[in-house]
Each structure stands twice: as C-alpha cells, then as structure tokens.
Amino acid sequence: MKIAPIALALAVATGGLSGCTQTSLLKTVSGNAASAKVESPILAGTARIAVSLDGKTYVGAAGEAHKDTTGEQALRFGWDPTHKHPYIKQEMNFLFGSTILKAPDGTQLACDHLRHGDDWRLRCKRPDNGEVVLQRVRE
C-alpha cells in the first residue's frame, strides 16, 4: 500500500472540511421574542453569531472561550446538574465566553455564550436592561 495516495486523500478531506460549518438555531425558552443562529467551523476557527431581537439583527464573532471549571456557568445557562452521558469523555466540558454583537445601525448587544459539544446557549442583555436567554431548538 502506498502512503502518498492516502496522505493526499487525507489532505484533500481536511481541506474540504476546513470550510464547513455546523449551524445551530436558537430560540427563547418561552415565547418567540428572539432567535439566533450560530455557525461553528467544524475543524478550527471562530464561531459566528447572529441574534434577531426587537426587529434588529446583531452579528459578530464568539468571544474567546474558557472552560467552566466550577460548573457555575453551566447552571446559570440552565443545564441540569444531573445531565450525564456516561460514555462521553468530554462529558462536563462547558466552554464559556462573552461577545459584543453589532446591528447595522451601530447599536450593540452584549451576550455571554456557553458551548457544550455542539450545543450552544446565549444570554444577551436587552437594551431595556432585561435579559434574553436562547437555547437550541428542539423539534
């Protein structure tokens, strides 16, 4: 078996996947006051976030994420403490970050984000000092 064709096939596959993203649709826990779309690169890169709220769409990149070592952020974002997948190595890896999203008119929306595997959750501060919580659409 020749190594060169295998290496070439792997390089092509990796190159092909480098442009691929996974899209997550998020909505509010209750009602339809807001929605969001998160596009995460499959291999490496920064996720793009778009939040539709009060007739505006705020967009931007996810901020740098840090591991939630205490579990406090996971609870803040609504994860059940008994949440378990017994055979998954990264079971309790929650990555927490913050970002500022911008609308075309220049207004800004401050959001915290939490990612657990491919599951994203957002907590955004509304301009009226309220907060909107968004999580993955489950159908």
Side-chain angles (χ1 to χ4, degrees):
M1 177 151 67
K2 296 187 179 190
I3 301 225
I6 294 171
L8 179 61
L10 286 174
V12 168
T14 302
L17 284 176
S18 66
C20 294
T21 60
Q22 177 176 0
T23 302
S24 298
L25 301 176
L26 311 177
K27 66 177 183 177
T28 55
V29 177
S30 59
N32 293 322
S35 64
K37 179 170 74 169
V38 180
E39 295 178 337
S40 310
I42 291 193
L43 290 181
T46 303
R48 303 284 306 159
I49 300 172
V51 175
S52 297
L53 175 67
D54 299 331
K56 294 182 184 180
T57 300
Y58 301 85
V59 296
E64 184 177 349
H66 304 280
K67 189 171 181 182
D68 176 21
T69 57
T70 64
E72 290 176 25
Q73 293 301 330
L75 291 175
R76 180 175 162 244
F77 278 82
W79 251 283
D80 181 356
T82 62
H83 166 86
K84 296 282 182 217
H85 297 288
Y87 303 107
I88 297 177
K89 182 179 176 184
Q90 303 87 354
E91 171 53 38
M92 298 312 283
N93 284 346
F94 292 94
L95 299 174
F96 170 75
S98 297
T99 189
I100 302 290
L101 307 176
K102 293 182 183 174
D105 67 1
T107 56
Q108 298 181 344
L109 183 68
C111 296
D112 292 336
H113 52 82
L114 189 75
R115 182 172 61 88
H116 176 59
D118 66 346
D119 195 343
W120 284 82
R121 296 192 181 185
L122 298 172
R123 294 182 77 93
C124 300
K125 294 172 182 61
R126 296 177 65 102
D128 63 2
N129 293 327
E131 185 175 60
V132 61
V133 179
L134 300 129
Q135 65 186 26
R136 184 174 13 191
V137 175
R138 306 233 187 256
E139 299 199 39

